[in-house]
Amino acid sequence: MKKIKPRWIVIGLVVLALVAGIVRAISNKRAQQAAASAPASAVTQIEVANTDVMKAELRDITQGLAVSGTVKAVNYAVIKARVAGELKEVIAREGDSVKAGDVLARIDPTEYQRRWLQASETASAAKSQMEIAQRAWDSNKALVDQGFISKAAMDNSIASYQGAIASHKAAIAGADVARKALDDATLRAPFAGIVSGRAAQVGERVAIDAKIMELVDLSQLEVEVPLSPSESMDVRIGQAAALQIEDRQATVGAKVKRISPSAQTGSRSVLIYLTLDKAEGLRHGLFAKGILGLGKSQVMAVPLSAVRTDRAQPYVQVVEQVGDQLQVAHKTVTLGVRGIDLTQPESEIMVGVTGLAEGSTVLKSHVGALREGMVVKYTAASANAPTANASAAIAPVVSASNAN
């Protein structure tokens, strides 16, 4: 018997392993194809909450311009040092409310007190010299009338007196300047407001115009919005806007109060200022965005997000009564103007549609794509179902026959 070489045994085992792997792969692929060709369990019914639907109705849609800007206080001030010196005291701190004239901080006044004292003494000396010159002039006037002194001596006396008067006035002005510098060492609030920031600490030596703190008046807030020159040409005083502050869902009404007459150097933007209807709880420096209304149209409107575009033509999903059941139907629509309904609290963009009956029950976007003809039922707790969890309230129900 011929002995088989070990090399051929190894080769045979490798070939058998490869054949077994190929057979296993083909079997798996056939199983997957069979599973894919098997009829899927069809969802025949869903449950939705009242927050998952809305009525299509006539609305006054405000066509607008998308705007964004910064909430700013009408009265806002950066408190700066008017004189140089060591910061001796900071009385008001961040968040403190102050009244107009309240002391905010103090700079070491020693140097300015000495200067004011020096200027005051100089003014007193100038006043004494003026009085001496006046007495001399009065005496010389009587003497010249009697012929005891010449007219030239009289003129010199008058000139000395006038020079003394001028010196006295200059000394008084110098004392006033020194007094003002002493007063400027005490920083006071220019208006009633709240301290929003502090830039210097006690013990620091500050220079003239060094920033000490910031003061804002939250009782009057407005939104500063930069627009391009072309966009600004359609804006008018009094136009209404709906704004979101820092991405909060609730909107705040606003109106155009002022429009800058010129474009900004460099950016070429034109600034407009919107007054807020309700400024409670807002802060200086917050970000705002929204729609500035430029015109109105009364149209049949639905949320733009509810319009589906996964087909050749846009459509909306509606709930219709078919016999004794509510079913999903797809309605092809033609889109019209876009904008917002300023009378409603929601800030979602609306779109005018044709091809949809007034009062139709429209499914909102978060419900997702549904098969036409699917039976719809409303949940018993739909009145309490929050909008944020509306998608979780959709409960597919599989019929017993399909489950098998």
Side-chain angles (χ1 to χ4, degrees):
M1 182 177 178
K2 189 177 180 180
K3 187 177 180 179
I4 300 175
K5 294 182 179 181
R7 182 179 63 178
W8 293 109
I9 296 175
V10 173
I11 293 174
L13 292 174
V14 170
V15 171
L16 289 175
L18 289 174
V19 171
I22 293 172
V23 172
R24 189 181 300 109
I26 293 173
S27 299
N28 291 338
K29 184 175 182 180
R30 288 178 179 176
Q32 291 176 358
Q33 291 176 348
S37 61
S41 297
V43 176
T44 61
Q45 178 177 308
I46 62 168
E47 293 185 1
V48 297
N50 288 336
T51 52
D52 298 329
V53 298
M54 66 164 294
K55 293 290 185 181
E57 56 188 2
L58 288 174
R59 292 174 180 257
D60 289 327
I61 298 301
T62 300
Q63 301 155 266
L65 177 69
V67 295
S68 61
T70 305
V71 177
K72 291 190 174 182
V74 175
N75 292 326
Y76 166 78
V78 177
I79 309 300
K80 296 183 178 181
R82 297 181 180 180
V83 295
E86 180 184 345
L87 191 61
K88 297 293 289 185
E89 185 180 13
V90 176
I91 298 174
R93 298 181 179 273
E94 297 90 333
D96 288 346
S97 297
V98 297
K99 298 179 181 179
D102 284 355
V103 176
L104 303 177
R106 288 188 176 93
I107 296 173
D108 187 1
T110 304
E111 178 182 352
Y112 303 101
Q113 288 174 340
R114 299 295 184 269
R115 290 183 179 181
W116 177 66
L117 181 59
Q118 181 184 24
S120 299
E121 294 299 331
T122 301
S124 298
K127 182 179 180 181
S128 299
Q129 294 297 323
M130 181 190 67
E131 292 173 349
I132 292 172
Q134 183 178 10
R135 288 195 295 270
W137 178 68
D138 292 339
S139 299
N140 290 337
K141 183 178 180 182
L143 293 175
V144 76
D145 292 338
Q146 298 176 8
F148 290 107
I149 62 172
S150 64
K151 184 69 167 54
M154 179 62 181
D155 293 338
N156 291 335
S157 178
I158 294 175
S160 297
Y161 176 54
Q162 291 176 342
I165 293 176
S167 297
H168 181 232
K169 290 181 178 179
I172 291 176
D176 291 340
V177 171
R179 180 64 195 184
K180 183 180 184 303
L182 177 59
D183 293 339
D184 288 343
T186 301
L187 304 179
R188 298 181 181 274
F191 52 82
I194 300 175
V195 177
S196 63
R198 186 179 59 172
Q201 304 296 330
V202 175
E204 293 184 19
R205 183 168 182 82
V206 296
I208 297 177
D209 286 338
K211 181 179 177 181
I212 305 299
M213 62 182 61
E214 297 178 357
L215 184 66
V216 296
D217 178 10
L218 297 181
S219 64
Q220 300 181 68
L221 295 176
E222 62 185 9
V223 180
E224 181 184 84
V225 176
L227 296 178
S228 68
S230 59
E231 291 173 338
S232 67
M233 297 176 67
D234 296 325
V235 179
R236 302 290 183 271
I237 301 294
Q239 288 176 334
L243 303 176
Q244 284 181 289
I245 309 298
E246 294 292 344
D247 294 327
R248 298 186 67 181
Q249 292 300 320
T251 58
V252 179
K255 288 185 179 180
V256 179
K257 180 70 173 182
R258 306 191 312 277
I259 302 175
S260 175
S262 59
Q264 299 293 300
T265 304
S267 64
R268 302 297 302 159
S269 60
V270 177
L271 298 179
I272 67 171
Y273 298 89
L274 310 176
T275 57
L276 298 168
D277 295 341
K278 295 181 180 179
E280 292 83 0
L282 301 185
R283 297 291 183 267
H284 176 83
L286 297 181
F287 176 74
K289 66 178 181 180
I291 300 294
L292 175 62
L294 301 179
K296 278 188 177 181
S297 299
Q298 189 176 60
V299 294
M300 183 70 61
V302 297
L304 179 61
S305 61
V307 179
R308 303 194 62 83
T309 57
D310 50 5
R311 293 182 180 177
Q313 293 182 331
Y315 68 97
V316 295
Q317 299 180 131
V318 300
V319 178
E320 289 185 338
Q321 185 76 36
V322 179
D324 58 350
Q325 291 183 332
L326 295 174
Q327 295 184 2
V328 175
H330 295 171
K331 298 293 184 181
T332 301
V333 294
T334 302
L335 304 184
V337 298
R338 302 183 184 187
I340 58 175
D341 185 357
L342 295 179
T343 63
Q344 299 297 324
E346 70 270 8
S347 60
E348 190 170 3
I349 296 178
M350 309 293 289
V351 60
V353 294
T354 55
L356 190 64
E358 183 177 0
S360 297
T361 303
V362 178
L363 288 164
K364 294 184 178 180
S365 60
H366 59 257
V367 176
L370 301 178
R371 181 171 53 83
E372 195 168 15
M374 186 177 293
V375 177
V376 176
K377 286 189 176 181
Y378 288 95
T379 60
S382 60
N384 299 324
T387 304
N389 297 327
S391 59
I394 304 173
V397 179
V398 183
S399 64
S401 59
N402 289 331
N404 297 328

